[in-house]
Amino acid sequence: MINCQTVSDKLSWSHICELIKLDDDLERSFYEQQTLNENWSVRELQRQIDSVLFFKIIPLNFLCAAHIIIRKGS
């Protein structure tokens, strides 16, 4: 039997509302995973988004390559 859980099963509605505000799919996915892995509260998620953690951690050349791959897949 496969254990399938959606993000809504793992995060609160408040977390999801914060993540929905992010336009970039890759950025949203990053914060979603970090929230799950680090067990961030909504306030901590907001703080990390406001501090642009995503852009501090992910190198720019990786972001460019990832966006190209995502666009080709669409």
Side-chain angles (χ1 to χ4, degrees):
M1 184 170 157
I2 298 173
N3 183 5
C4 245
Q5 281 188 309
T6 62
V7 173
S8 63
D9 290 340
K10 300 175 186 178
L11 296 174
S12 73
W13 178 246
S14 298
H15 283 98
I16 293 169
C17 288
E18 291 302 315
L19 292 168
I20 287 172
K21 295 176 186 177
L22 301 170
D23 294 328
D24 186 273
D25 293 340
L26 194 59
E27 183 181 5
R28 187 179 320 108
S29 180
F30 168 81
Y31 285 113
E32 173 189 320
Q33 287 304 311
Q34 287 299 111
T35 299
L36 292 170
N37 293 340
E38 302 297 328
N39 199 29
W40 286 346
S41 65
V42 175
R43 187 169 289 185
E44 181 64 17
L45 172 59
Q46 291 167 333
R47 191 181 77 72
Q48 296 294 353
I49 291 171
D50 290 344
S51 75
V52 291
L53 176 67
F54 175 70
F55 294 102
K56 292 177 183 175
I57 289 182
I58 307 297
L60 185 58
N61 58 349
F62 175 78
L63 285 176
C64 293
H67 279 281
I68 290 168
I69 292 168
I70 289 171
R71 287 191 184 125
K72 285 183 180 179
S74 299

